[in-house]
């Protein structure tokens, strides 16, 4: 498309789960519901249009060993884009990916800075590894570096204990979360197990990643405080393999990981039923491939979340939660077009017909 071309999207435009329109126009890269007065160079795309998918837990610029070169990060971002993911919350990375912001052909990224972990209590080369007395200072640093989010590592294996345990004392997380909020940033935390959750939620945390340790007694607290979860079920599927690999050295941890995996769908459905906000995230970029947002939506449906609600968790509702527009009048035209109605069958998301980013057809 030329700089003056107009894109006409017609068929069924899913502005919201119930707000369905017959067409939209893309003029100067932005959404319009009014036919332009002079539209000479028009390209038409037909199908079922959605706002670009959201992956609310993704790591561009990271692999299992740490930060990756820019060309590898670019391939990761392109893989997500071609799968229809056009908005990413990067939930912790040692890479500086600000260069992505200058690329109109790459997904938009909301960064959480670099992970903040306890010394020797996380994956090597990923996080700032510190002790509790330094937590407030590092949270302030990452709040200033990020895009409105900070990422803590709330629990990890304690090698002396041989199992998962909380990383931070209550007073440290209370002070750190208060400082992040003072600086205008929300806080999320990696949490697999049970015992870190109450302290984090009562300290005012905004979101929990994975949340496999969410138990019935904690569900009302999450719901009352409005703490969101991003279950990353496509990543939790790897727990049995991880447990097998660590069984000989850490049998207690291995058994724990298997229990968390076995109850994963019940955990997510229980959270949803209680009114806890649930959002789509894949945890791509560590040991997991990019481009899996559609698979995560399908996993939420398998867990028992109604298809339209699972779809909203990776589109309309996710964009509102992250403070980014959908297919609103005047918004950047970031959308994906499908052959069939994804509300009827979310598996449609795995096969986009067209991907439009900043008003240009890129896939």
């Amino acid at each position: 498309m030329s700089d003056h071309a107009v894109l006409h999207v017609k068929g069924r435009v899913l502005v919201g789960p119930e707000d369905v329109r017959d067409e939209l126009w893309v003029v100067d890269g932005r959404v319009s519901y009014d036919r332009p007065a002079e539209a000479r160079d028009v390209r038409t795309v037909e199908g079922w249009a959605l706002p670009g998918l959201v992956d609310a837990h993704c790591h561009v610029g990271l692999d299992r060993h740490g930060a990756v070169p820019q060309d590898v990060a670019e391939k990761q971002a392109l893989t997500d884009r071609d799968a229809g993911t056009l908005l990413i919350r990067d939930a912790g990375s040692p890479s500086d990916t600000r260069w992505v912001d200058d690329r109109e052909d790459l997904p938009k990224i909301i960064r959480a800075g670099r992970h903040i972990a306890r010394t020797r209590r996380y994956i090597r080369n990923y996080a700032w590894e510190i002790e509790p007395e330094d937590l407030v200072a590092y949270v302030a640093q990452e709040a200033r570096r990020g895009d409105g989010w900070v990422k803590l590592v709330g629990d990890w294996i304690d090698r002396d204990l041989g199992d998962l345990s909380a990383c931070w004392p209550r007073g440290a997380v209370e002070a750190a979360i208060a400082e992040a909020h003072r600086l205008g940033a929300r806080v999320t935390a990696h949490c697999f197990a049970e015992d870190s959750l109450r302290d984090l939620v009562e300290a005012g945390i905004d979101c929990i990643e994975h949340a496999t340790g969410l138990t019935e007694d904690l569900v009302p607290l999450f719901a009352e405080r409005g703490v969101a979860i991003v279950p990353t079920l496509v990543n939790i599927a790897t727990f049995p393999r991880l447990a097998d690999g660590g069984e000989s050295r850490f049998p207690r941890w291995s058994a724990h990981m298997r229990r968390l995996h076995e109850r994963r769908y019940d955990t997510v459905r229980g959270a949803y039923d209680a009114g806890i906000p649930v959002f789509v995230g894949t945890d791509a970029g560590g040991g997991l491939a990019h481009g899996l947002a559609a698979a995560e939506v399908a996993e939420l449906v398998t867990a028992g979340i109604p298809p339209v609600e699972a779809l909203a968790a990776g589109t309309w509702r996710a964009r509102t939660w992250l403070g980014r527009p959908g297919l609103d009048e005047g918004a950047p035209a970031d959308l994906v077009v499908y052959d069939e109605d994804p509300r009827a069958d979310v598996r449609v998301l795995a096969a986009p017909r067209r991907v439009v980013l900043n008003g240009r057809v890129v896939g």
Side-chain angles (χ1 to χ4, degrees), residues 6-305:
V6 170
L7 182 66
H8 184 203
V9 180
K10 59 184 295 188
R12 302 271 81 186
V13 179
L14 301 176
V15 181
E18 303 299 332
D19 184 358
V20 184
R21 309 189 192 185
D22 294 331
E23 61 184 356
L24 69 74
W25 301 83
V26 178
V27 182
D28 295 328
R30 295 188 174 270
V31 171
S32 174
Y33 291 98
D34 296 321
R35 182 186 179 93
E38 296 184 7
R40 291 171 294 180
D41 182 6
V42 178
R43 176 174 178 179
T44 300
V45 174
E46 297 189 50
W48 295 81
L50 272 177
L53 303 184
V54 178
D55 188 339
H57 187 131
C58 186
H59 304 281
V60 174
L62 184 69
D63 69 7
R64 66 178 68 249
H65 304 295
V68 299
Q70 183 171 318
D71 64 320
V72 177
E74 179 186 40
K75 290 176 182 177
Q76 293 174 342
L78 287 170
T79 298
D80 284 315
R81 183 202 74 183
D82 292 346
T85 297
L86 304 183
L87 179 62
I88 289 169
R89 184 183 61 149
D90 194 324
S93 176
S95 291
D96 181 357
T97 59
R98 290 289 174 189
W99 57 272
V100 172
D101 296 346
D102 298 325
R103 292 276 299 271
E104 292 203 347
D105 62 328
L106 295 180
K108 296 174 173 68
I109 299 180
I110 298 169
R111 298 168 186 83
R114 187 172 184 175
H115 309 75
I116 303 172
R118 192 77 179 262
T119 308
R120 298 190 66 193
R121 293 284 301 279
Y122 199 49
I123 303 167
R124 186 179 298 177
N125 301 324
Y126 276 31
W128 299 117
E129 297 189 16
I130 61 167
E131 288 302 294
E133 59 267 24
D134 296 320
L135 184 59
V136 170
Y138 273 83
V139 162
Q141 170 185 289
E142 296 310 295
R144 294 185 177 101
R145 290 182 64 242
D147 299 315
W149 284 91
V150 175
K151 169 75 174 293
L152 306 179
V153 176
D155 66 26
W156 196 250
I157 188 169
D158 181 326
R159 290 167 177 80
D160 294 331
L161 183 65
D163 198 1
L164 298 164
S165 70
C167 291
W168 311 103
R170 171 71 171 258
V173 294
E174 286 177 341
I177 291 170
E179 178 66 1
H181 289 169
R182 185 184 72 82
L183 294 170
R186 289 186 276 181
V187 183
T188 192
H190 159 105
C191 296
F192 283 161
E194 300 85 353
D195 62 353
S196 66
L197 295 177
R198 182 173 294 277
D199 281 353
L200 288 166
V201 173
E202 291 183 346
I205 203 160
D206 302 282
C207 182
I208 296 292
E209 310 300 313
H210 316 300
T212 40
L214 183 59
T215 51
E216 287 186 9
D217 63 308
L218 289 170
V219 165
L221 179 64
F222 272 68
E224 175 191 339
R225 301 293 181 94
V227 178
I229 66 170
V230 182
T232 68
L233 288 167
V234 292
N235 179 48
I236 304 311
T238 68
F239 276 19
R241 175 175 55 80
L242 297 175
D244 289 347
E247 176 127 38
S248 60
R249 188 176 179 191
F250 300 114
R252 183 176 169 186
W253 171 83
S254 294
H256 195 173
M257 294 289 279
R258 290 192 182 97
R259 290 195 303 274
L260 295 172
H261 175 263
E262 287 166 2
R263 71 175 197 234
R264 67 197 186 283
Y265 292 142
D266 290 339
T267 300
V268 172
R269 178 56 190 261
Y272 170 78
D273 286 346
I276 294 171
V278 178
F279 296 103
V280 167
T282 66
D283 206 3
L288 208 64
H290 284 258
L292 296 177
E296 181 67 14
V297 174
E299 277 285 272
L300 294 181
V301 174
T302 300
I305 294 180

